[in-house]
Amino acid sequence: GDLLDKLCSEINSNSDKIKAYSYVHDVVNIDEVPELFQVITRQLGRLDAIFYTAGTMAKITKDEYDTSKDSLMIKVNTIGAIAWINEAARRFERIKKGTI
């Protein structure tokens, strides 16, 4: 969160208006996605495209088989992505435009 805030401050310091916002969210908490998506789109005023950029991959040894590590990777990389992309798809379908 602190690094995101710093980056947003740097971006916004070079402009007359706010261009960058910071939102911290653990993507495994998919129940939070619909509300946060609405907050973000209201603050932005519009949404033309969504780029999902969260991902994780645990360090494992070549002979390690750890379902809990695999589960987290699937929750972040797949389920988290689906939760965010579904919200964008609903919005883009409703307004008849947008890019995922």
Side-chain angles (χ1 to χ4, degrees):
D2 291 339
L3 289 174
L4 284 174
D5 290 340
K6 182 179 177 185
L7 179 60
C8 287
S9 292
E10 288 176 21
I11 292 168
N12 293 327
S13 70
N14 297 318
S15 177
D16 297 349
K17 62 180 185 174
I18 297 175
K19 292 183 175 184
Y21 299 91
S22 173
Y23 307 94
V24 176
H25 169 68
D26 183 343
V27 297
V28 300
N29 298 325
I30 60 172
D31 293 341
E32 297 172 1
V33 172
E35 183 178 344
L36 183 53
F37 187 89
Q38 293 304 315
V39 167
I40 292 169
T41 54
R42 274 194 303 273
Q43 190 165 31
L44 294 174
R46 65 184 246 197
L47 183 68
D48 300 315
I50 185 169
F51 302 86
Y52 185 81
T53 59
T56 189
M57 184 170 181
K59 289 187 178 194
I60 57 170
T61 62
K62 68 178 184 171
D63 60 347
E64 181 180 3
Y65 308 99
D66 188 325
T67 303
S68 65
K69 289 180 181 180
D70 297 337
S71 176
L72 178 61
M73 185 173 61
I74 290 168
K75 286 177 184 174
V76 170
N77 301 359
T78 305
I79 305 301
I82 291 168
W84 280 96
I85 290 168
N86 279 345
E87 289 301 315
R90 284 184 194 96
R91 179 182 179 85
F92 294 157
E93 181 178 45
R94 188 176 67 250
I95 64 173
K96 307 277 192 262
K97 64 181 179 177
T99 302
I100 296 175

